[in-house]
C-alpha cells in the first residue's frame, strides 16, 4: 500500500491505564466488546464512541480473550480464576468453572459444532463448552506446550497455537489431534486466524507472520523489525490479514504474497493486543494502556 493510501489511525480512550483493555471482539449488536483484564470488567463500545462497562463477580478474574458465541452472547476466558465467562448484549453475566484446577484458560472461539472452544495454557488441554455450560476437555499429546490462541478453520476443525511447543495444533470436534512443528526454533506462536482458505498466525518471539494450509504446509514471513513482538492477528478476507505489534507499537498488514505494511500508533508504548474487524468495516485494536485504536481507509473521511 503506497504511503499516500495509508489508513487513518485514531485512538479512543476507554479506561484508565491500569484497567488494561486486552481482548476485543465485534458483537452481534453492532458494538465492540472489550476485556478489561486488570479490573475484572467487560466494556461495550459503539463505533461512535458510546461506552458502557459491566463489572464481573470477581475483580481479579482477569477476563482475557473474548469472542462472539453461536448463541448471540459474548464468551470470554477468565485466566485469573480459571472460568469461562458469558455476557449477553444486555449485560447479563455468568461464569462456568473448569473441571481441571488452575488450568489458565486463554484463547476462545466459536466452533463449527455450535459450541465454544477454548485453550487451557497451564494444563495442555483444549476445552469445549456448550450453551448450557457442559464442558468437555481434551488432553493434548504434548507436555508444557502452553496452548494459546484458537480459531475455527475452513476444514471444520479447530486450529490453535502451542506457544512453548513451537507448533500449530489441529483438533477435530471429536478430539482427534495433529501437531505441526514450526520450522523456526523458539518462534513462540500466539495469535491465529482463518482467512477461509489458510490459517495465519504470529510468532511473537521470532518476529514473523506464519501461514499454514489445512494439509500442514507452513510458510513464514519475517517482519522488517524482528523485535516487534506480533501478538494477535485477524483476517479481513482471503490473503489479507492485520496484526498487532506489541513490542513496536504498530498495526501491521500482510497480503497473500507476504507483502507487509506497518503503521505506527499515535501514543508511544500503548501495548496493542487483541484486534478485530469492527461492524463499521474498520480494524479495531485493544491497547492495554487504556484505549482502542481504530484503523480505517484514508478516504473514509470520518
Amino acid at each position: 500500500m503506497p504511503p499516500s493510501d495509508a489508513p487513518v489511525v485514531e485512538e479512543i480512550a476507554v479506561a484508565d491505564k491500569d484497567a488494561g483493555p486486552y481482548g476485543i471482539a465485534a458483537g452481534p449488536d453492532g458494538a465492540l466488546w472489550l476485556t478489561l483484564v486488570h479490573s475484572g470488567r467487560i466494556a461495550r463500545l459503539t463505533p461512535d464512541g458510546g461506552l458502557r462497562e459491566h463489572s464481573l463477580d470477581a475483580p481479579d478474574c482477569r477476563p482475557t480473550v473474548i469472542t462472539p458465541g453461536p448463541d448471540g452472547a459474548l464468551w470470554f476466558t477468565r485466566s485469573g480464576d480459571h472460568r469461562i465467562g458469558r455476557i449477553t448484549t444486555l449485560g447479563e453475566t455468568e461464569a462456568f468453572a473448569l473441571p481441571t484446577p488452575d488450568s489458565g484458560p486463554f484463547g476462545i472461539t466459536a466452533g463449527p459444532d455450535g459450541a465454544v472452544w477454548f485453550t487451557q495454557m497451564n494444563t495442555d488441554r483444549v476445552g469445549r463448552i456448550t450453551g448450557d455450560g457442559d464442558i468437555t476437555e481434551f488432553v493434548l499429546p504434548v507436555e508444557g506446550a502452553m496452548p494459546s490462541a484458537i480459531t475455527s478453520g475452513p476444514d471444520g476443525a479447530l486450529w490453535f497455537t502451542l506457544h512453548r511447543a513451537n507448533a500449530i495444533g489441529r483438533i477435530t470436534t471429536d478430539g482427534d489431534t495433529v501437531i505441526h512443528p514450526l520450522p523456526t526454533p523458539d518462534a513462540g506462536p500466539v495469535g491465529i486466524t482463518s482467512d477461509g482458505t489458510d490459517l495465519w498466525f504470529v510468532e511473537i518471539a521470532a518476529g514473523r507472520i506464519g501461514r499454514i494450509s489445512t494439509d500442514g504446509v507452513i510458510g513464514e514471513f519475517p517482519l522488517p523489525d524482528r523485535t516487534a513482538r506480533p501478538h494477535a492477528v485477524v483476517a479481513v478476507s482471503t490473503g489479507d490479514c492485520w496484526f498487532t505489534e506489541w513490542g513496536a507499537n504498530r498495526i501491521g498488514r500482510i497480503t497473500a504474497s507476504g507483502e507487509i505494511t506497518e503503521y505506527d500508533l499515535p501514543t508511544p508504548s500503548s501495548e496493542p493486543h487483541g484486534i478485530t474487524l469492527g461492524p463499521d468495516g474498520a480494524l479495531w485494536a485493544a491497547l492495554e494502556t487504556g484505549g482502542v485504536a481504530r484503523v480505517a481507509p484514508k478516504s473514509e473521511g470520518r
Side-chain angles (χ1 to χ4, degrees):
M1 181 181 292
S4 60
D5 293 331
V8 175
V9 182
E10 60 178 317
E11 293 181 4
I12 302 167
V14 297
D16 62 60
K17 64 179 183 179
D18 296 323
Y22 188 92
I24 187 169
D29 57 347
L32 286 306
W33 290 78
L34 294 142
T35 58
L36 303 183
V37 64
H38 301 306
S39 61
R41 302 195 303 271
I42 301 294
R44 178 185 184 272
L45 175 70
T46 58
D48 62 2
L51 182 67
R52 186 173 70 229
E53 290 189 4
H54 303 280
S55 296
L56 301 175
D57 56 351
D60 58 352
C61 67
R62 293 184 62 83
T64 308
V65 180
I66 190 166
T67 189
D71 58 350
L74 286 301
W75 292 73
F76 54 96
T77 49
R78 296 172 42 149
S79 61
D81 61 0
H82 315 290
R83 297 170 182 263
I84 301 300
R86 177 182 182 271
I87 184 168
T88 69
T89 55
L90 298 177
E92 300 163 339
T93 63
E94 57 186 324
F96 305 93
L98 298 182
T100 303
D102 302 324
S103 58
F106 182 79
I108 192 166
T109 191
D113 56 351
V116 173
W117 289 70
F118 56 94
T119 60
Q120 300 178 44
M121 293 185 296
N122 300 343
T123 54
D124 296 319
R125 287 171 164 81
V126 168
R128 176 186 185 271
I129 183 168
T130 67
D132 295 329
D134 293 330
I135 296 171
T136 306
E137 295 179 324
F138 301 95
V139 180
L140 301 176
V142 284
E143 294 184 2
M146 198 176 184
S148 299
I150 187 169
T151 193
S152 287
D155 56 349
L158 288 304
W159 291 74
F160 53 95
T161 53
L162 293 166
H163 181 68
R164 290 182 180 160
N166 204 53
I168 303 299
R170 177 186 184 270
I171 187 169
T172 69
T173 54
D174 293 326
D176 296 328
T177 306
V178 176
I179 305 298
H180 300 280
L182 296 182
T184 300
D186 303 318
V190 184
I192 190 169
T193 189
S194 168
D195 70 358
T197 300
D198 295 318
L199 291 305
W200 293 78
F201 55 93
V202 298
E203 299 177 2
I204 193 170
R208 297 172 183 257
I209 307 299
R211 179 176 63 200
I212 182 170
S213 65
T214 54
D215 57 359
V217 177
I218 297 172
E220 296 175 304
F221 307 93
L223 297 176
D225 177 3
R226 302 294 289 279
T227 65
R229 300 190 67 79
H231 186 272
V233 60
V234 65
V236 172
S237 61
T238 302
D240 187 2
C241 297
W242 293 71
F243 53 93
T244 54
E245 295 185 7
W246 176 75
N249 203 54
R250 300 187 189 105
I251 303 295
R253 180 190 185 204
I254 186 168
T255 65
S257 64
E259 180 182 359
I260 294 170
T261 315
E262 300 170 311
Y263 306 100
D264 292 330
L265 293 173
T267 301
S269 303
S270 59
E271 299 186 27
H273 285 290
I275 188 169
T276 193
L277 179 65
D280 57 350
L283 277 298
W284 292 77
L287 310 177
E288 196 171 352
T289 52
V292 295
R294 180 179 184 271
V295 183
K298 188 175 181 180
S299 59
E300 182 187 84
R302 176 178 162 114

